[in-house]
Amino acid sequence: MKLALGPIQYYWPRDEVLAFYEAVAQSPVDIVYLGEAVCSRRHEVRLADWLDMAAVLREAGKEVLLSTQVLIESGADVTVLHKICANGQFMVEANDMGAVHCLEGKVPFVAGPHLNIYNLPTLQWMAALGLHRWVMPLEMGRDDLALLLAGSPPGLQTEVFAYGRMPLAFSARCFTARHCNLAKDDCQFKCIEHPDGLLMRTRESEEFLVLNGIQTQSARVHNLLPELPALRAMGVDVVRISPQSQHMLRIVDLFQNVVQGRADAATANAELLGLMPEKPCNGYWYGKPGLEQVSPQAMAVPA
């Protein structure tokens, strides 16, 4: 089972992005996804920069992919999408069906978690278009995943989002700009002030959601590190970690140690809890509301 680092979901300064991937090049992660998947107004790092970083990471032995934007809103977005899909050097993670249309029948591609792959006919259809690997939708549970794995086309890889705040929705509106009483087209790039998104709480002061520009995330951190042995046993090929601004390399090490059998999952998870920006959750994995934290023991089937 391999370890993947998903695309940065937040808006970080250019120097921080470059320094982050310089460190990632020396990390034990196997697969790296690069690119702006959230908002086209984020221009600290441009496509040429992503391609340069991709070349460096590939030289360091990483499998590198370029991620496309989830919500295409303009002709300029379409132009960038076509450039990514026609880059000719790196595999592409398609995050909308427009990207799939650009790639189908031409080159192998990865289906990102934002494509609606919930059943075997859809998975088989995508495989016929050239699908190399698919990322399980975030709200899919272990039982549904087991059904798809049982009938998955031969050679098709499966990836599971295993750590990070979950991207729940995308909108044409920018919620961060609205929070600052700014128009979307004059957002003043306020996202860059919130390197892990803007946390929203209820009136009872309970964490609720995170605003990240046009993206809405879970406030709690989706964490399947304790499930890594079960994921391996199910036949999952890749587990994905989503970047956060702090402690990222240590988090990668904790996951890699468990994947490689050098550490016990429970022990590694105890340390991981102290590195999270908020409380953990795993409800979707068990077919429960996503914000719940379910004990594996509570869901065990009696003998």
Side-chain angles (χ1 to χ4, degrees), residues 225-229 232 250-272:
L225 186 146
E227 308 296 335
L228 291 183
R232 182 194 296 275
R250 182 55 186 161
I251 292 170
V252 167
D253 286 340
L254 290 173
F255 269 81
Q256 186 71 355
N257 288 340
V258 175
V259 168
Q260 296 295 327
R262 296 192 297 265
D264 173 78
T267 303
N269 191 60
E271 180 179 347
L272 180 62

Short mmCIF file of all heavy atoms in Angstrom, two decimals, residues 225-229 232 250-272:
data_model
loop_
_atom_site.label_atom_id
_atom_site.label_comp_id
_atom_site.label_asym_id
_atom_site.label_seq_id
_atom_site.Cartn_x
_atom_site.Cartn_y
_atom_site.Cartn_z
N LEU A 225 -6.20 6.68 10.06
CA LEU A 225 -4.94 6.01 10.40
C LEU A 225 -5.18 4.70 11.15
O LEU A 225 -4.53 3.69 10.85
CB LEU A 225 -4.02 6.95 11.17
CG LEU A 225 -2.61 6.40 11.45
CD1 LEU A 225 -1.57 7.51 11.44
CD2 LEU A 225 -2.54 5.66 12.78
N PRO A 226 -6.10 4.66 12.14
CA PRO A 226 -6.33 3.38 12.83
C PRO A 226 -6.86 2.28 11.91
O PRO A 226 -6.81 1.10 12.27
CB PRO A 226 -7.36 3.74 13.91
CG PRO A 226 -7.20 5.21 14.11
CD PRO A 226 -6.87 5.75 12.76
N GLU A 227 -7.39 2.68 10.73
CA GLU A 227 -7.98 1.71 9.82
C GLU A 227 -7.00 1.21 8.77
O GLU A 227 -7.37 0.42 7.90
CB GLU A 227 -9.18 2.35 9.10
CG GLU A 227 -10.20 3.00 10.01
CD GLU A 227 -10.88 2.00 10.93
OE1 GLU A 227 -10.93 0.80 10.58
OE2 GLU A 227 -11.35 2.42 11.99
N LEU A 228 -5.75 1.65 8.81
CA LEU A 228 -4.80 1.26 7.77
C LEU A 228 -4.65 -0.25 7.61
O LEU A 228 -4.63 -0.76 6.48
CB LEU A 228 -3.44 1.91 8.02
CG LEU A 228 -3.37 3.43 7.84
CD1 LEU A 228 -1.94 3.92 8.04
CD2 LEU A 228 -3.88 3.85 6.48
N PRO A 229 -4.56 -1.02 8.69
CA PRO A 229 -4.49 -2.48 8.50
C PRO A 229 -5.73 -3.03 7.78
O PRO A 229 -5.61 -3.92 6.93
CB PRO A 229 -4.37 -3.02 9.93
CG PRO A 229 -3.75 -1.90 10.70
CD PRO A 229 -4.35 -0.66 10.11
N ARG A 232 -5.59 -2.12 4.05
CA ARG A 232 -4.68 -3.02 3.34
C ARG A 232 -5.33 -4.37 3.08
O ARG A 232 -5.24 -4.91 1.97
CB ARG A 232 -3.39 -3.21 4.14
CG ARG A 232 -2.37 -4.10 3.44
CD ARG A 232 -1.27 -4.55 4.39
NE ARG A 232 -0.49 -3.43 4.88
CZ ARG A 232 0.54 -2.92 4.24
NH1 ARG A 232 0.90 -3.40 3.06
NH2 ARG A 232 1.21 -1.92 4.76
N ARG A 250 5.78 15.15 9.98
CA ARG A 250 5.62 14.15 11.04
C ARG A 250 4.38 13.30 10.80
O ARG A 250 4.39 12.08 11.05
CB ARG A 250 5.54 14.85 12.41
CG ARG A 250 5.42 13.87 13.59
CD ARG A 250 6.54 12.85 13.57
NE ARG A 250 6.38 11.82 14.60
CZ ARG A 250 6.99 10.64 14.58
NH1 ARG A 250 7.81 10.33 13.58
NH2 ARG A 250 6.79 9.77 15.53
N ILE A 251 3.33 13.89 10.31
CA ILE A 251 2.12 13.13 9.99
C ILE A 251 2.41 12.10 8.91
O ILE A 251 1.98 10.95 8.99
CB ILE A 251 0.99 14.09 9.57
CG1 ILE A 251 0.55 14.93 10.78
CG2 ILE A 251 -0.20 13.32 9.00
CD1 ILE A 251 -0.39 16.07 10.43
N VAL A 252 3.16 12.52 7.88
CA VAL A 252 3.56 11.58 6.84
C VAL A 252 4.34 10.42 7.44
O VAL A 252 4.11 9.24 7.12
CB VAL A 252 4.39 12.30 5.76
CG1 VAL A 252 5.08 11.29 4.84
CG2 VAL A 252 3.52 13.23 4.94
N ASP A 253 5.26 10.72 8.34
CA ASP A 253 6.07 9.67 8.96
C ASP A 253 5.20 8.70 9.75
O ASP A 253 5.42 7.48 9.72
CB ASP A 253 7.13 10.29 9.89
CG ASP A 253 8.27 10.93 9.13
OD1 ASP A 253 8.46 10.59 7.95
OD2 ASP A 253 8.98 11.76 9.72
N LEU A 254 4.22 9.23 10.49
CA LEU A 254 3.36 8.36 11.28
C LEU A 254 2.58 7.39 10.38
O LEU A 254 2.48 6.19 10.68
CB LEU A 254 2.39 9.19 12.12
CG LEU A 254 3.01 9.98 13.28
CD1 LEU A 254 1.96 10.91 13.91
CD2 LEU A 254 3.58 9.04 14.33
N PHE A 255 2.03 7.92 9.30
CA PHE A 255 1.30 7.05 8.37
C PHE A 255 2.23 6.02 7.74
O PHE A 255 1.91 4.84 7.64
CB PHE A 255 0.62 7.89 7.29
CG PHE A 255 -0.78 8.31 7.63
CD1 PHE A 255 -1.00 9.41 8.46
CD2 PHE A 255 -1.87 7.61 7.15
CE1 PHE A 255 -2.29 9.79 8.78
CE2 PHE A 255 -3.17 7.99 7.47
CZ PHE A 255 -3.38 9.10 8.30
N GLN A 256 3.41 6.48 7.30
CA GLN A 256 4.34 5.58 6.64
C GLN A 256 4.82 4.49 7.59
O GLN A 256 4.99 3.33 7.19
CB GLN A 256 5.52 6.37 6.08
CG GLN A 256 6.49 5.55 5.25
CD GLN A 256 5.90 5.14 3.90
OE1 GLN A 256 4.73 5.39 3.62
NE2 GLN A 256 6.70 4.53 3.06
N ASN A 257 5.04 4.83 8.85
CA ASN A 257 5.48 3.82 9.81
C ASN A 257 4.44 2.73 10.00
O ASN A 257 4.78 1.55 10.14
CB ASN A 257 5.79 4.49 11.16
CG ASN A 257 7.06 5.31 11.12
OD1 ASN A 257 7.91 5.12 10.25
ND2 ASN A 257 7.20 6.23 12.06
N VAL A 258 3.18 3.11 9.99
CA VAL A 258 2.11 2.11 10.13
C VAL A 258 1.99 1.30 8.84
O VAL A 258 1.86 0.06 8.88
CB VAL A 258 0.78 2.78 10.49
CG1 VAL A 258 -0.36 1.75 10.50
CG2 VAL A 258 0.87 3.47 11.84
N VAL A 259 2.04 1.97 7.69
CA VAL A 259 1.96 1.27 6.41
C VAL A 259 3.07 0.24 6.27
O VAL A 259 2.85 -0.88 5.79
CB VAL A 259 2.00 2.28 5.24
CG1 VAL A 259 2.22 1.57 3.90
CG2 VAL A 259 0.72 3.09 5.18
N GLN A 260 4.28 0.60 6.72
CA GLN A 260 5.43 -0.28 6.59
C GLN A 260 5.54 -1.28 7.74
O GLN A 260 6.47 -2.09 7.76
CB GLN A 260 6.71 0.56 6.52
CG GLN A 260 6.81 1.46 5.31
CD GLN A 260 6.87 0.67 4.01
OE1 GLN A 260 7.42 -0.42 3.96
NE2 GLN A 260 6.29 1.23 2.95
N GLY A 261 4.62 -1.21 8.70
CA GLY A 261 4.65 -2.17 9.80
C GLY A 261 5.68 -1.86 10.87
O GLY A 261 5.99 -2.71 11.71
N ARG A 262 6.21 -0.63 10.86
CA ARG A 262 7.21 -0.25 11.85
C ARG A 262 6.60 0.31 13.13
O ARG A 262 7.31 0.54 14.11
CB ARG A 262 8.18 0.78 11.25
CG ARG A 262 9.00 0.27 10.08
CD ARG A 262 10.12 1.23 9.73
NE ARG A 262 9.61 2.51 9.29
CZ ARG A 262 9.42 2.84 8.02
NH1 ARG A 262 9.68 1.96 7.06
NH2 ARG A 262 8.97 4.04 7.70
N ALA A 263 5.30 0.57 13.12
CA ALA A 263 4.64 1.12 14.30
C ALA A 263 3.22 0.57 14.39
O ALA A 263 2.59 0.25 13.38
CB ALA A 263 4.61 2.65 14.23
N ASP A 264 2.74 0.47 15.59
CA ASP A 264 1.38 0.04 15.84
C ASP A 264 0.42 1.20 15.54
O ASP A 264 0.70 2.36 15.87
CB ASP A 264 1.25 -0.39 17.30
CG ASP A 264 -0.19 -0.68 17.69
OD1 ASP A 264 -0.67 -1.77 17.33
OD2 ASP A 264 -0.82 0.19 18.32
N ALA A 265 -0.71 0.89 14.91
CA ALA A 265 -1.64 1.95 14.49
C ALA A 265 -2.17 2.73 15.69
O ALA A 265 -2.30 3.96 15.63
CB ALA A 265 -2.80 1.34 13.70
N ALA A 266 -2.47 2.05 16.78
CA ALA A 266 -3.02 2.74 17.96
C ALA A 266 -1.99 3.70 18.56
O ALA A 266 -2.32 4.82 18.95
CB ALA A 266 -3.47 1.71 18.99
N THR A 267 -0.74 3.26 18.63
CA THR A 267 0.31 4.12 19.18
C THR A 267 0.54 5.34 18.30
O THR A 267 0.67 6.47 18.78
CB THR A 267 1.63 3.32 19.32
OG1 THR A 267 1.40 2.18 20.15
CG2 THR A 267 2.72 4.17 19.92
N ALA A 268 0.61 5.13 16.98
CA ALA A 268 0.80 6.24 16.05
C ALA A 268 -0.37 7.20 16.10
O ALA A 268 -0.20 8.43 16.06
CB ALA A 268 0.99 5.71 14.63
N ASN A 269 -1.57 6.67 16.24
CA ASN A 269 -2.76 7.53 16.28
C ASN A 269 -2.78 8.40 17.53
O ASN A 269 -3.24 9.54 17.49
CB ASN A 269 -4.02 6.68 16.21
CG ASN A 269 -5.26 7.51 15.97
OD1 ASN A 269 -5.38 8.21 14.97
ND2 ASN A 269 -6.20 7.46 16.91
N ALA A 270 -2.28 7.87 18.64
CA ALA A 270 -2.24 8.66 19.87
C ALA A 270 -1.39 9.91 19.69
O ALA A 270 -1.74 10.99 20.19
CB ALA A 270 -1.70 7.80 21.01
N GLU A 271 -0.29 9.79 18.96
CA GLU A 271 0.53 10.97 18.68
C GLU A 271 -0.14 11.87 17.65
O GLU A 271 -0.10 13.11 17.76
CB GLU A 271 1.91 10.55 18.18
CG GLU A 271 2.81 11.74 17.87
CD GLU A 271 4.20 11.37 17.39
OE1 GLU A 271 4.58 10.18 17.52
OE2 GLU A 271 4.91 12.25 16.87
N LEU A 272 -0.77 11.26 16.66
CA LEU A 272 -1.40 12.04 15.59
C LEU A 272 -2.48 12.98 16.13
O LEU A 272 -2.63 14.10 15.64
CB LEU A 272 -2.01 11.09 14.55
CG LEU A 272 -2.72 11.73 13.36
CD1 LEU A 272 -1.75 12.57 12.53
CD2 LEU A 272 -3.37 10.66 12.49
#
